[in-house]
Amino acid sequence: ISFSTVDSALSSLKNCQSYINSGMDMATQVALDLVQNFNDEEDVNSMEKVMLEYATMDRELNHYIKAFESTINQVKREKPETLPDLENLAREKFLEMESVCSDSDFQRNEKYMYFKDQLKEMKKQYNGNDTIEQIDEDLAVTRSQMNFTCPITQMTMKRPVRNKVCGHIYEEDAILEMIQTQKQKKKKVRCPKMGCIHVDVKGSDLVPDEALKRVIDSQNKQ
């Protein structure tokens, strides 16, 4: 049995994921622009709906790919004399995975959660309406408006990145250089923020803090 056509189709489906990721990145930027420049809550809410739609598509696409891969692997193992209806088998597996889904699944979509986090920080910086109770304690401590200085360079950051593990923020080039230097010495990197107990900072833990970058850029222009 030749599966080259199926493999090609799966490859095309996986390429679709990159388009979904690009769409989510663009929606995030548009939402941040709206908060920064127009403060139109209705338009911002519409961008969150767009993000939810993208997150739903991403989940469904992942399930469809997994269902087809599982079906193909099953057929390869069993080696039946007659090729079964792969589409129906895959669809059954897909529907089974979808049946146990809930809205909480979006908590596992990194781009959607990044959107929520950055939007929350952006609103705090530009609207100032959130109460302390509404702001996560870590955010209140580590990401206040005055938190522009990199703990490594002691200079105002230009490209801040946030550590997903401990929440602390550094200049991108500075923390990556530190990670690379310690890697060559086969040592782990302790978070350079004074008092932090996180002792294994990895490049994969770092995400751009677009909201803070916009605030810093805005302050620099004044």
Side-chain angles (χ1 to χ4, degrees):
I1 300 172
S2 174
F3 293 100
S4 58
T5 303
V6 177
D7 290 338
S8 177
L10 280 173
S11 179
S12 297
L13 283 176
K14 290 177 181 179
N15 286 336
C16 289
Q17 288 178 309
S18 65
Y19 296 120
I20 292 175
N21 288 334
S22 296
M24 295 183 89
D25 289 340
M26 187 175 297
T28 299
Q29 293 298 320
V30 169
L32 296 181
D33 283 341
L34 288 169
V35 175
Q36 184 174 6
N37 299 314
F38 304 106
N39 193 25
D40 191 321
E41 192 66 24
E42 185 177 344
D43 286 343
V44 173
N45 289 339
S46 71
M47 294 313 300
E48 181 165 0
K49 291 178 182 177
V50 169
M51 288 294 289
L52 279 170
E53 290 175 2
Y54 272 125
T56 301
M57 283 191 290
D58 184 62
R59 183 182 69 188
E60 290 178 351
L61 184 58
N62 280 327
H63 283 170
Y64 198 72
I65 290 172
K66 287 178 181 178
F68 243 106
E69 288 179 335
S70 175
T71 300
I72 297 302
N73 290 333
Q74 179 183 334
V75 172
K76 285 181 178 179
R77 285 194 307 271
E78 297 175 355
K79 299 179 180 178
E81 293 182 6
T82 304
L83 184 65
D85 190 327
L86 296 178
E87 185 174 352
N88 277 339
L89 286 175
R91 181 168 181 77
E92 286 177 7
K93 292 180 184 292
F94 168 77
L95 292 175
E96 183 180 343
M97 284 187 277
E98 283 289 298
S99 67
V100 295
C101 288
S102 67
D103 290 344
S104 62
D105 293 335
F106 297 128
Q107 304 296 318
R108 293 193 291 270
N109 186 297
E110 286 197 9
K111 286 191 178 292
Y112 177 69
M113 296 312 297
Y114 177 75
F115 167 87
K116 293 284 288 182
D117 175 70
Q118 291 288 287
L119 194 59
K120 184 176 184 178
E121 177 66 9
M122 201 72 174
K123 287 180 178 179
K124 178 164 70 78
Q125 300 286 4
Y126 282 91
N127 298 349
N129 293 329
D130 288 347
T131 64
I132 282 296
E133 290 77 17
Q134 291 173 305
I135 302 169
D136 293 341
E137 185 178 349
D138 286 344
L139 290 175
V141 172
T142 64
R143 305 175 66 192
S144 66
Q145 278 192 316
M146 300 307 295
N147 191 24
F148 297 166
T149 304
C150 172
I152 303 169
T153 65
Q154 297 302 313
M155 297 175 65
T156 299
M157 291 178 282
K158 296 179 180 179
R159 291 200 301 272
V161 291
R162 177 167 51 86
N163 191 322
K164 292 186 291 184
V165 177
C166 62
H168 292 126
I169 304 169
Y170 334 98
E171 177 65 51
E172 182 179 28
D173 289 345
I175 188 64
L176 290 178
E177 182 179 350
M178 180 179 286
I179 291 171
Q180 182 61 31
T181 299
Q182 292 299 90
K183 184 178 180 181
Q184 291 174 351
K185 298 177 182 178
K186 297 183 178 180
K187 293 182 179 180
K188 295 180 179 179
V189 175
R190 186 185 185 94
C191 175
K193 184 71 174 181
M194 187 176 296
C196 183
I197 61 173
H198 182 42
V199 295
D200 189 13
V201 180
K202 299 184 178 68
S204 58
D205 295 330
L206 306 175
V207 292
D209 198 321
E210 178 65 24
L212 184 59
K213 181 180 184 301
R214 286 168 180 255
V215 176
I216 293 172
D217 290 346
S218 178
Q219 290 291 320
N220 289 338
K221 290 177 183 178
Q222 293 180 3

